[in-house]
Amino acid sequence: MNISVKNLCLSYKDGLKERVILENTNVDIPEGSCNIIVGPSGCGKSSFLYVLSTLRNYNGGKILYDDVELNSGKLKTQMRYKNFGFIFQQHYLIPYLTVEENIRMSQNKKEKISKRSIDEILEKLNIAHLANSMPYKLSGGEKQRVAIARALIKKPEVIFADEPTASLDKDTAIDIYNMLRKVNEKSTLIMATHDTSILIGDERKMVFDNKHILADM
Amino acid sequence: MNSCFTYFKKNKKKTSIMFAIIILAVFSISFIYSLILSVYDTSKSANVAPFDKFSILISENDTVFDDDTQKIIDSDSSVRAFTTVTDIKTIFGTTSSYVIFPAEYDDINILVNRLGIKVSEGRMPDKNTDEIIMHTNVMKNKKKKIGDKISDYTIVGAFEGDIELSLGTMESAKLKEYSSSVSTYIISPSSRDELSSINSTLSKINDKKIELHTYDKQLKSLNDEFSSIKSVLFIIVLLVAVCIVIAVAALVFIMYSGRYEEFAIINALGYNKSFIKTLIFKEMLFAASISWFLGVTISWLSSVLVNKFIYSAMGQSMKIFNVNSLLISIVLPVMVIFFSVYPTNHKLSKTDLISIIERR
């Protein structure tokens, strides 16, 4: 899926004032690319990610998904359900469900995820032995791997990751990032992070600051 | 995606508290209602049911009717003069069972035939004696057996069946004394259709000193007596329901407030708020229905036990399955669902779920 951002404007109400986050931002994200959004805290990288992933609305401009603009909430939730995978800074695993049941959350009644595909993805993430464990028994890194498994199980076209390694130690962060890259290579990855030390070097970096993309490299 | 059972299956402790509250409330309402309605049923068996086979005409005129009334009475061979009808109070204040003392001894056999009474134990009363036969339920209720005395009368026989009353004979001098004060006519035709036809004829009697007691009139009188009890009971049920509903709704509200991160991630994964609201409704529908079913079942089992071990021994009637108590118990789950789901879903509508993930 190609994503095209044209003259995107985003602002929030901050009390009585209007706080502008993004101004006339233009960017094209080709299918299968690995895109890293970097920049200082509060520069709007997460906001940009949330807008791109349809979790937030924007104030002006256009975002086209394969040349189609999503105009309704229904279309946006459908897009999220069918084509997007999400990984957040926190794992957001449901505490009363096992690892396998948490992964199954992304399935609906009609399209059942097979046990085999869950085993496969857990194997790839080196957590196959935790399939029946409860989240409270897992370490931070293991929880985040489960969150990745939940995001990737349906083989989404685009993966959105918002600071997925922020709460992890350095080694685990590198490990998690590498897995994220390796497990679903065909998907487009759009990741916001402030930690560039985990990057491999082949990524496209979009540097955000002062309401604009300062550098796209 | 999870079904509406998953949360309850996986959170047994929280679930059991909520279920226990609803089950207890449904049980209390249903069981208390059944107990109180059993008083009504017992009263109905004693006071109303016999009037399915006869009516009673009572005159304060020393058997002297005016000409018009006499014509009506004479026009129908079913109107027979029996005296006297008295009553024996049963253990509950509002229930009483009739005792019929025919003026002529031969009339007791006519009455026994008309009412379909078959003496199952003992014998029929003798002429010019103070003897009675009783329905077994009345005997149990009064804790009497054949050979015992009730008031001045000796119980000589027992019978079973639909009509819970007693029939007796009096010593002739006493009978004469009773007959002189009030005249009572038992109208007991051979068929029920005939009874309603006679009732409509007799209802035309326009004399304030003559009272006609029919099935409908007795039922109305009983319902009037119980209407205030039923109203009070309904208010109690409503108050209990409101208190329980407040407790359950608060518990449910807190329970769902702790699940907002779950809803936020579900929403982010591509399920809209309507889906989440439907899930909440289904969960509460499931919880309330199961709790209601269990509460009603426990109430039913308790009624069976009370009826078997307490009421039967007392000759008391109790309907094990009572539609009214079933219907009144439905008030609770309906209110629980409404007052739990509405505020929870209202809050959900107002909450920006994505902001929970964003941590803004």
Side-chain angles (χ1 to χ4, degrees):
Chain A
M1 176 182 287
N2 294 304
I3 302 174
S4 188
V5 178
K6 296 187 187 304
N7 298 320
L8 185 74
C9 295
L10 177 66
S11 59
Y12 289 128
K13 282 247 172 181
D14 190 1
L16 292 173
K17 287 180 185 171
E18 191 85 359
R19 189 175 162 227
V20 179
I21 309 292
L22 297 170
E23 236 174 28
N24 295 321
T25 303
N26 291 285
V27 68
D28 286 316
I29 298 169
E31 190 173 309
S33 59
C34 174
N35 307 272
I36 310 296
I37 306 163
V38 290
S41 292
C43 70
K45 52 185 189 298
S46 288
S47 299
F48 181 61
L49 193 86
Y50 278 81
V51 167
L52 273 186
S53 63
T54 74
L55 289 173
R56 283 275 173 232
N57 295 326
Y58 46 90
N59 308 96
K62 274 183 182 175
I63 302 177
L64 303 173
Y65 303 87
D66 279 340
D67 299 325
V68 178
E69 189 176 9
L70 306 176
N71 295 316
S72 70
K74 195 180 173 187
L75 285 175
K76 286 176 184 176
T77 47
Q78 275 177 359
M79 177 64 83
R80 287 208 298 274
Y81 182 77
K82 286 180 182 167
N83 303 305
F84 295 171
F86 291 92
I87 305 153
F88 302 98
Q89 187 175 338
Q90 301 292 322
H91 49 80
Y92 294 111
L93 299 180
I94 296 177
Y96 58 83
L97 299 180
T98 63
V99 165
E100 186 180 327
E101 288 164 341
N102 264 287
I103 295 168
R104 283 192 186 280
M105 268 184 66
S106 9
Q107 76 178 7
N108 66 18
K109 279 179 188 169
K110 287 172 193 165
E111 41 181 56
K112 271 215 154 194
I113 296 168
S114 70
K115 173 90 173 86
R116 198 176 149 191
S117 53
I118 290 176
D119 289 343
E120 269 176 25
I121 200 152
L122 290 176
E123 198 75 52
K124 282 180 187 174
L125 290 161
N126 296 333
I127 48 169
H129 60 291
L130 300 173
N132 297 316
S133 301
M134 297 304 286
Y136 71 89
K137 288 183 177 170
L138 310 182
S139 67
E142 286 170 337
K143 284 175 187 167
Q144 204 57 312
R145 284 180 215 201
V146 178
I148 292 171
R150 183 181 61 195
L152 303 184
I153 190 69
K154 287 201 302 183
K155 297 188 170 54
E157 288 187 54
V158 188
I159 300 160
F160 293 94
D162 182 22
E163 305 270 12
T165 58
S167 57
L168 306 173
D169 61 71
K170 184 83 180 173
D171 291 342
T172 314
I174 292 170
D175 196 27
I176 292 288
Y177 178 67
N178 288 338
M179 281 183 179
L180 188 55
R181 291 290 307 273
K182 199 173 70 183
V183 172
N184 215 357
E185 284 172 319
K186 287 177 188 169
S187 302
T188 307
L189 175 67
I190 305 171
M191 183 172 97
T193 184
H194 64 276
D195 183 10
T196 50
S197 66
I198 59 167
L199 303 180
I200 299 166
D202 62 344
E203 303 91 348
R204 173 194 187 188
K205 275 187 271 181
M206 288 179 266
V207 184
F208 273 68
D209 201 5
N210 199 20
K211 305 165 197 168
H212 294 99
I213 298 176
L214 287 184
D216 189 350
M217 44 197 178
Chain B
M1 194 49 213
N2 301 328
S3 72
C4 57
F5 318 110
T6 313
Y7 181 80
F8 298 117
K9 213 168 93 181
K10 298 276 181 177
N11 293 275
K12 292 191 176 73
K13 205 173 173 183
K14 284 179 190 167
T15 304
S16 55
I17 295 169
M18 188 172 78
F19 274 50
I21 295 172
I22 304 175
I23 288 169
L24 193 66
V26 169
F27 162 74
S28 309
I29 289 170
S30 177
F31 187 60
I32 291 171
Y33 215 83
S34 293
L35 284 183
I36 291 179
L37 287 179
S38 76
V39 177
Y40 174 85
D41 290 337
T42 304
S43 244
K44 198 176 170 187
S45 300
N47 283 325
V48 182
F51 286 83
D52 193 36
K53 296 206 172 171
F54 62 79
S55 296
I56 294 175
L57 197 65
I58 301 169
S59 167
E60 291 176 28
N61 293 341
D62 294 343
T63 70
V64 182
F65 293 117
D66 59 39
D67 291 346
D68 291 341
T69 310
Q70 198 62 54
K71 266 184 192 170
I72 291 171
I73 293 169
D74 292 343
S75 70
D76 206 309
S77 58
S78 296
V79 184
R80 297 185 63 93
F82 298 102
T83 55
T84 301
V85 178
T86 61
D87 68 278
I88 297 170
K89 299 287 180 196
T90 54
I91 54 160
F92 288 94
T94 54
T95 64
S96 60
S97 168
Y98 289 92
V99 185
I100 301 171
F101 293 98
E104 302 293 330
Y105 179 74
D106 290 344
D107 287 345
I108 199 167
N109 291 319
I110 296 170
L111 206 53
V112 159
N113 288 334
R114 289 272 170 95
L115 301 181
I117 291 170
K118 282 178 186 159
V119 176
S120 56
E121 202 183 337
R123 60 170 176 80
M124 288 291 288
D126 287 335
K127 196 175 181 180
N128 288 331
T129 55
D130 288 335
E131 291 179 345
I132 57 169
I133 54 170
M134 290 183 111
H135 192 280
T136 48
N137 281 355
V138 184
M139 271 174 79
K140 281 180 191 171
N141 201 281
K142 300 299 292 180
K143 294 188 173 68
K144 298 285 179 189
K145 58 183 188 304
I146 292 174
D148 287 351
K149 277 202 158 192
I150 186 156
S151 189
D152 295 333
Y153 307 97
T154 308
I155 303 164
V156 293
F159 60 90
E160 289 172 356
D162 304 336
I163 311 266
E164 291 186 13
L165 45 68
S166 305
L167 285 168
T169 52
M170 281 186 192
E171 191 270 317
S172 53
K174 198 195 285 179
L175 188 63
K176 213 170 190 179
E177 194 186 323
Y178 270 104
S179 308
S180 64
S181 57
V182 178
S183 303
T184 307
Y185 293 77
I186 302 282
I187 299 121
S188 181
S190 48
S191 79
R192 197 174 291 175
D193 290 344
E194 208 181 334
L195 179 63
S196 41
S197 152
I198 292 164
N199 282 343
S200 68
T201 309
L202 293 173
S203 63
K204 290 170 192 160
I205 295 174
N206 189 22
D207 187 336
K208 285 182 181 172
K209 288 188 173 179
I210 296 172
E211 278 181 41
L212 177 66
H213 294 266
T214 61
Y215 184 91
D216 291 343
K217 199 175 171 185
Q218 291 297 105
L219 186 64
K220 187 182 176 300
S221 162
L222 184 72
N223 286 339
D224 287 348
E225 276 181 43
F226 270 84
S227 68
S228 57
I229 295 172
K230 281 183 177 172
S231 303
V232 170
L233 190 65
F234 185 73
I235 291 166
I236 292 169
V237 165
L238 212 63
L239 285 175
V240 170
V242 166
C243 293
I244 297 296
V245 163
I246 290 169
V248 173
L251 191 75
V252 170
F253 193 77
I254 293 166
M255 187 180 89
Y256 282 112
S257 295
R259 292 176 67 187
Y260 268 71
E261 279 195 359
E262 177 186 336
F263 298 147
I265 194 69
I266 289 173
N267 189 218
L269 291 178
Y271 297 93
N272 55 25
K273 278 189 178 176
S274 303
F275 175 87
I276 300 167
K277 285 178 188 174
T278 310
L279 178 73
I280 291 170
F281 175 74
K282 281 181 184 171
E283 284 184 351
M284 284 313 299
L285 184 68
F286 167 73
S289 308
I290 292 292
S291 310
W292 173 80
F293 178 76
L294 290 174
V296 166
T297 306
I298 296 169
S299 163
W300 178 77
L301 286 173
S302 305
S303 299
V304 169
L305 293 176
V306 166
N307 190 46
K308 191 174 179 186
F309 294 110
I310 302 172
Y311 275 30
S312 295
M314 285 167 38
Q316 194 85 6
S317 309
M318 187 181 200
K319 269 188 189 169
I320 302 300
F321 179 77
N322 196 307
V323 178
N324 286 330
S325 74
L326 197 72
L327 289 176
I328 204 87
S329 67
I330 290 176
V331 170
L332 196 104
V334 169
M335 283 174 82
V336 163
I337 292 170
F338 181 77
F339 288 105
S340 303
V341 173
Y342 178 74
T344 307
N345 281 351
H346 182 71
K347 190 190 169 193
L348 190 70
S349 300
K350 300 269 176 192
T351 306
D352 179 1
L353 290 173
I354 301 306
S355 70
I356 295 170
I357 290 173
E358 280 182 312
R359 301 276 179 207
R360 284 184 190 278

